[in-house]
Amino acid sequence: MISFLYGIGIGLCILTLFVLYRGIFGPGVFNRIAAISAIGTKTLILLLIMGFIYNRADMFVDISMVYALLNFVGTLAAAKYLEMEK
Amino acid sequence: MSILHFFSILFLLGGLFFFITATAGLLRFPGFFTRLHATGKGDTLAVSLSLIGLAFYEGFTLSSLKILFIAVFMFLAQPTATHAISRAAIKSGLKPWMKKDEMT
């Protein structure tokens, strides 16, 4: 079961590399924000998987809860800023 | 290999599948809004499935309850963030992608 979690984690890392391409070469700033938001959700799952691999689930669950909230607020702040900028 | 582990493998594989489709959508779609269309929905479902899978793996403890809370939160937060980004994009004058021959 643990090796299955390793597989899922490695799969998510490879997917993050693909999303990173969009983040770097994204034509505009909005593509980059969409890529960062996508990377944020993938990191959330990776964080939890690491927690289970090190079987310190309680600590990592709290960390990933905070990370989910911060990722959401960050995306909103970026959208709010870019809306004003003319 | 208890029944809980079986379900968690099932949900995690489903989550990984939708992550792959969302990433393919993010890379392959033509315009910004089509890409956001893919990642907004794809990632929401993928995160929810993966989190439910991890909650199954944990069994019935307090931390699995927190994981389910994160799943519910992400289910509400991701569409809101996607809406905020697309509204900002529309306001700053980003034109949605149109097929060339249907420029009505």
Side-chain angles (χ1 to χ4, degrees):
Chain A
M1 187 58 196
I2 290 293
S3 58
F4 176 72
L5 288 182
Y6 271 116
I8 293 280
I10 289 167
L12 282 177
C13 292
I14 294 168
L15 285 179
T16 309
L17 287 181
F18 286 121
V19 176
L20 206 58
Y21 165 77
R22 176 60 62 202
I24 293 170
F25 296 111
V29 66
F30 289 106
N31 286 313
R32 292 194 171 94
I33 294 182
I36 290 170
S37 164
I39 291 176
T41 48
K42 288 185 181 53
T43 322
L44 176 73
I45 304 292
L46 272 173
L47 213 55
L48 278 170
I49 285 177
M50 267 170 43
F52 286 131
I53 288 176
Y54 295 147
N55 51 49
R56 279 192 182 71
D58 295 340
M59 187 174 74
F60 277 86
V61 166
D62 297 342
I63 294 175
S64 63
M65 210 188 297
V66 169
Y67 189 81
L69 296 168
L70 281 179
N71 181 30
F72 170 55
V73 168
T75 311
L76 282 187
K80 192 66 183 169
Y81 168 68
L82 286 167
E83 192 178 291
M84 281 190 301
E85 182 211 3
K86 266 294 169 294
Chain B
M1 188 53 71
S2 70
I3 192 74
L4 279 180
H5 285 201
F6 171 71
F7 273 120
S8 81
I9 287 180
L10 207 66
F11 276 94
L12 277 169
L13 280 179
L16 189 69
F17 169 71
F18 282 107
F19 266 132
I20 292 171
T21 49
T23 311
L26 184 70
L27 292 180
R28 294 281 300 168
F29 280 169
F32 162 69
F33 292 100
T34 47
R35 290 186 195 122
L36 202 61
H37 183 71
T39 54
K41 293 190 296 187
D43 276 347
T44 315
L45 184 58
V47 163
S48 305
L49 284 180
S50 308
L51 287 175
I52 291 171
L54 289 172
F56 268 127
Y57 175 76
E58 183 65 24
F60 192 70
T61 59
L62 181 63
S63 57
S64 75
L65 216 58
K66 287 183 198 170
I67 290 176
L68 289 180
F69 164 72
I70 299 175
V72 168
F73 171 73
M74 284 306 281
F75 209 74
L76 299 174
Q78 185 81 14
T80 318
T82 310
H83 168 74
I85 297 178
S86 47
R87 200 166 68 100
I90 285 278
K91 273 209 170 148
S92 73
L94 197 66
K95 285 287 167 287
W97 179 84
M98 298 280 285
K99 245 165 91 154
K100 287 304 165 280
D101 52 5
E102 282 170 15
M103 291 298 277
T104 52

